[in-house]
Amino acid sequence: MVKTKAVQESTRISEMVIHGMQEKKGNDIVRLDLRNIHSAVADYYVVCHAESAPQIRALALSVEEELYKAFKVDPWKKEGQQHAEWILLDYVDVVVHIFKTDKRQFYGLEELWGDAEIESYQSA
């Protein structure tokens, strides 16, 4: 029962992450469902990209604000805000990746986690 509640919470958090990305027009938003992958460190990765550092920072801020409003949670860890080429927001069971376009192509998270179920979302 506890596992089910935790999974439901991580799903709701991932949905709010997507909403925050849509609000600031993140490009090619995808959610990788990692729950059935034994070596995964989270339930979900949510990934998008943008063309400029200011938009990448705005996307990260939007995600943080939406999650705080909805769940009163802050990220456990934040990385990459200074250069804003790849910002990572770690919410333990949901990890948010906001890339600059060329960095997303270079690192290829979707290919790296090719066994994950991938869902795509449109920007608002």
Side-chain angles (χ1 to χ4, degrees):
M1 185 70 173
V2 173
K3 178 78 171 162
T4 302
K5 185 176 181 183
V7 168
Q8 289 174 345
E9 184 173 327
S10 66
T11 300
R12 289 185 9 244
I13 289 171
S14 73
E15 290 167 352
M16 194 56 61
V17 167
I18 292 162
H19 176 72
M21 290 175 168
Q22 289 171 325
E23 288 294 305
K24 297 298 178 186
K25 301 192 181 349
N27 295 320
D28 296 327
I29 301 167
V30 297
R31 178 174 66 181
L32 286 73
D33 185 341
L34 307 170
R35 294 175 294 174
N36 293 321
I37 299 175
H38 180 67
S39 61
V41 296
D43 290 342
Y44 295 101
Y45 283 175
V46 185
V47 183
C48 76
H49 69 267
E51 300 300 323
S52 68
Q55 186 184 7
I56 292 166
R57 287 186 187 100
L59 282 158
L61 184 60
S62 177
V63 167
E64 287 187 73
E65 288 174 348
E66 292 295 331
L67 286 175
Y68 192 81
K69 281 191 289 189
F71 304 107
K72 302 290 187 250
V73 296
D74 289 315
W76 179 70
K77 185 84 169 159
K78 295 191 265 191
E79 296 289 336
Q81 292 182 304
Q82 184 176 358
H83 298 291
E85 292 188 349
W86 176 3
I87 292 180
L88 182 141
L89 303 173
D90 186 346
Y91 288 93
V92 183
D93 291 327
V94 178
V95 180
V96 180
H97 300 271
I98 305 169
F99 287 98
K100 192 166 186 186
T101 304
D102 62 331
K103 297 296 181 189
R104 182 177 185 175
Q105 293 168 352
F106 179 80
Y107 288 105
L109 282 186
E110 292 94 331
E111 291 80 29
L112 186 64
W113 292 95
D115 292 343
E117 181 180 321
I118 299 176
E119 297 176 72
S120 297
Y121 299 86
Q122 297 295 319
S123 287

